[in-house]
């Protein structure tokens, strides 16, 4: 498994914080880049104004496989409110791109990730960034509905 690919998206994680889980709301995300399989590029600049959730997962990870359908439902229910979820698969295929669980997952899966090289300590790993570009949440472990409603819900209400 390539930790570098997973960790690159921790471009989200913050310039200046020594551990991803120690991130605080004041950390501003300003230099991440996700390339989708179709070549489209999502950057911190073009996602400003959205609530962005980045989910690092792996096909071998049981909590990840349980979390993905929940995230998919949450995304479908809230994307019109400005929610963007980006999946990043830790599994690497022979061509160097992550494997995607299913074409039924509505949110984009990054094929390439750019930004500072930070190491992730566990999978699943989730980052949530507010509309203002500030990191609101960075923690390993899967989401459940209550946690999504508590952490992401209020960010979606802020305009």
């Amino acid at each position: 498994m390539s930790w570098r690919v997973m960790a690159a998206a921790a471009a989200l994680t913050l310039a200046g914080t020594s551990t991803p889980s120690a991130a605080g709301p004041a950390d501003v995300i300003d230099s991440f880049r996700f390339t989708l399989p179709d070549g489209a590029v999502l950057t911190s600049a073009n996602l400003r104004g959205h609530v962005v959730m980045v989910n690092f997962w792996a096909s071998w990870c049981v909590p990840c496989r349980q979390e993905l359908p929940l995230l998919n439902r949450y995304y479908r229910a809230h994307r019109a409110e400005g929610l963007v979820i980006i999946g990043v698969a830790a599994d690497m295929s022979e061509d160097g791109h992550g494997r995607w669980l299913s074409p039924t997952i509505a949110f984009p899966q990054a094929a390439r990730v750019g930004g500072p090289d930070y190491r992730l300590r566990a999978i699943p790993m989730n980052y949530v960034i507010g509309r203002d570009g500030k990191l609101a949440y960075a923690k390993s472990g899967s989401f459940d509905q209550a946690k999504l409603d508590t952490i992401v819900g209020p960010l979606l209400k802020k305009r």
Side-chain angles (χ1 to χ4, degrees):
M1 166 180 13
S2 171
W3 285 98
R4 182 164 176 74
V5 169
M6 292 186 321
L12 308 180
T13 13
L14 358 124
T17 298
S18 59
T19 60
S21 60
D27 298 303
V28 176
I29 307 307
D30 59 6
S31 64
F32 63 83
R33 176 183 185 90
F34 297 97
T35 304
L36 305 181
D38 66 1
V41 176
L42 302 175
T43 65
S44 50
N46 63 17
L47 290 173
R48 187 77 54 152
H50 292 85
V51 174
V52 179
M53 179 179 198
V54 180
N55 172 255
F56 291 93
W57 64 277
S59 63
W60 48 261
C61 167
V62 174
C64 299
R65 290 194 316 258
Q66 294 168 341
E67 178 184 50
L68 281 170
L70 170 68
L71 295 180
N72 193 48
R73 285 189 304 275
Y74 199 80
Y75 174 72
R76 288 178 187 270
H78 297 284
R79 64 183 164 194
E81 299 167 53
L83 176 64
V84 175
I85 298 179
I86 302 166
V88 181
D91 307 76
M92 295 303 291
S93 62
E94 292 174 9
D95 66 359
H97 295 104
R99 292 185 191 115
W100 299 283
L101 187 64
S102 167
T104 62
I105 298 293
F107 57 87
Q109 298 292 311
R112 286 191 308 271
V113 184
D117 186 15
Y118 292 92
R119 300 224 171 221
L120 299 178
R121 297 172 189 244
I123 297 223
M125 183 76 190
N126 289 293
Y127 297 89
V128 179
I129 304 159
R131 294 181 193 278
D132 58 0
K134 292 182 181 179
L135 186 64
Y137 180 88
K139 191 170 180 183
S140 62
S142 58
F143 273 99
D144 58 24
Q145 186 66 51
K147 194 184 291 186
L148 283 169
D149 292 341
T150 301
I151 294 166
V152 181
L155 295 172
L156 289 170
K157 291 177 184 167
K158 288 183 184 177
R159 293 285 171 177

